[in-house]
Structures are given as structure tokens and as C-alpha cells.
Amino acid sequence: MERHVDEELKDLNRDILKMGALAQEAIFKSIEALKNRDKELAQKIIADDSNIDNLELAIDEKCIDLIARYQPMAGDLRFITTGMKINGELERIADIAVDIAQRTLEIVDKPLLKPLFDIPKLTAIAQNMVKMAIDAFVNGDSELARKVLLADPQADQLRNVIQKELIEDYMLKDASTAPRAVQLLLIARFLERICDHSTNIAEDVIYMVQAKVVKHHPEKLKNDSVSE
């Protein structure tokens, strides 16, 4: 017989999935605004952020209410507290999309500094990491969460490539490119931060599923599966 709390936990799962979808959409739109030099879209991302903020608050309240009413133990408690933490991570990811939109507005009326190749690649990595992290939470999949953690070095490496090119091939050779280059540097850094938030979610999922702490202990992922 299904407990009454089980249906409410499923409802919480759906809310966090919705939060994740909104965060992913914000990332996608922010880079589309950059690629297409779409000022109106960038402004809409900024304006729509309040909807995500409101959902974050609603999810937090739901988590607190569940804890107060059911006083859950073990796996249920880990699920609810992990949901609260992931909710916050997703809200911060959406905030970063706003940061990207704001940086886009700074350069949208200026000539494009260079063709955008690596930033869309980094965006694809970030979007995939967010999606995998959310799927790992929704499905309680610690192995998928592990894949998120192992993908992070690729994002760091690509961010470094973007940074090196912008500094050495543009800013140092022609100081007049600095205002536009700095905005692209910041956008690359923002995308890398999205990847970092995704790894935070993945670490929380591993703890939720297995009560195993891998945060601050990446060496645990090199040789052994978290499922062992």
C-alpha cells in the first residue's frame, strides 16, 4: 500500500524537474541571444527570471512542509534535503543565464569580435551536464551522476582554451578589443560555473542514493564506480 507521503514526494520530484527544465531553457536562450545578437531575447531572459525565483521559493516551502508534517527518516529525508539543495543550484544556474544575457547586452550593438565556435561547444557541455544531473536526481541514478562529475574536466579545459585565445590573440595584440573580449571571457567563465553547479547536484545525488560522500574527494571516482 502506497504511503500518502509517496505521492507528495513524486510531486516534489515533478517540481524539481520543472525547475530544471526552466534552467536549461534559460541557458539555451541566453546563448541564442548571444549568437543571434538578439537584444529582445536577452531582455526577456532577465525579465523572466522572477518566475524561476518564485518557483524556487515554492519548492523550498514544500520541502520544509514535508519535513515538518512527516518527520521523514533515512532515504526520504535524504531525498527531501537533496531536493532543497538541488533547487538552489538550479536557481543559481538560471541566475547565470541572466548574467550571460546581461553580458550579451553589453556587446550586442558592437561588431562581433570573432566567430563563435568554442563558446557554443562549452554551452553544449554545460547543457548536457545539467540535463544528466537532473535526470540522475529524478531517477535516483548514481552512475549517471558519476558521469556528470567525470565530464567536468572537459569543461574546464575548453574554458581555458577560450580564455587563452581571447587574451593572447586579441587583447594582447589589440587593446581596443578588450571591452568585447572581456564580455566573452565572462560568458565562458559563467558557462564553466554552470558545469560546477551541475557537479554539485551530481555529488548530492550520489549521497542521496548511496549515503556516500564524494564531495572534495574526486579520487574516489577515478578507479571505482560509485555503485560498488
Side-chain angles (χ1 to χ4, degrees), residues 141-155:
D141 189 339
S142 58
E143 190 59 34
L144 184 58
R146 178 177 179 268
K147 291 179 180 178
V148 176
L149 302 184
L150 295 176
D152 192 49
Q154 182 184 4

Side-chain angles (χ1 to χ4, degrees), residues 49-183:
D49 187 57
S50 60
N51 296 330
I52 297 176
D53 292 341
N54 290 336
L55 180 57
E56 183 211 11
L57 294 175
I59 291 173
D60 271 355
E61 289 177 5
K62 182 174 290 187
C63 290
I64 293 169
D65 179 66
L66 284 169
I67 292 172
R69 286 191 292 116
Y70 293 106
Q71 298 181 353
M73 303 291 289
D76 286 346
L77 181 60
R78 288 203 302 272
F79 176 81
I80 295 170
T81 55
T82 300
M84 291 182 71
K85 293 172 72 176
I86 289 174
N87 183 41
E89 297 287 354
L90 291 171
E91 191 277 332
R92 284 188 282 276
I93 287 172
D95 282 346
I96 292 173
V98 170
D99 291 334
I100 293 172
Q102 290 171 334
R103 301 285 69 77
T104 295
L105 290 175
E106 292 290 329
I107 57 177
V108 71
D109 293 324
K110 300 173 183 176
L112 190 64
L113 181 63
K114 62 182 290 295
L116 296 176
F117 293 122
D118 289 332
I119 284 180
K121 288 181 184 177
L122 182 54
T123 303
I125 294 171
Q127 288 176 311
N128 189 49
M129 288 178 67
V130 172
K131 182 181 185 304
M132 286 196 299
I134 296 167
D135 287 347
F137 171 74
V138 170
N139 298 311
D141 189 339
S142 58
E143 190 59 34
L144 184 58
R146 178 177 179 268
K147 291 179 180 178
V148 176
L149 302 184
L150 295 176
D152 192 49
Q154 182 184 4
D156 293 340
Q157 183 179 26
L158 187 51
R159 188 279 314 270
N160 292 338
V161 168
I162 295 169
Q163 179 175 286
K164 184 175 185 293
E165 179 188 20
L166 288 170
I167 293 174
E168 295 183 2
D169 294 349
Y170 291 90
M171 297 173 70
L172 293 180
K173 292 182 178 179
D174 183 356
S176 68
T177 65
R180 287 171 292 163
V182 166
Q183 303 306 323

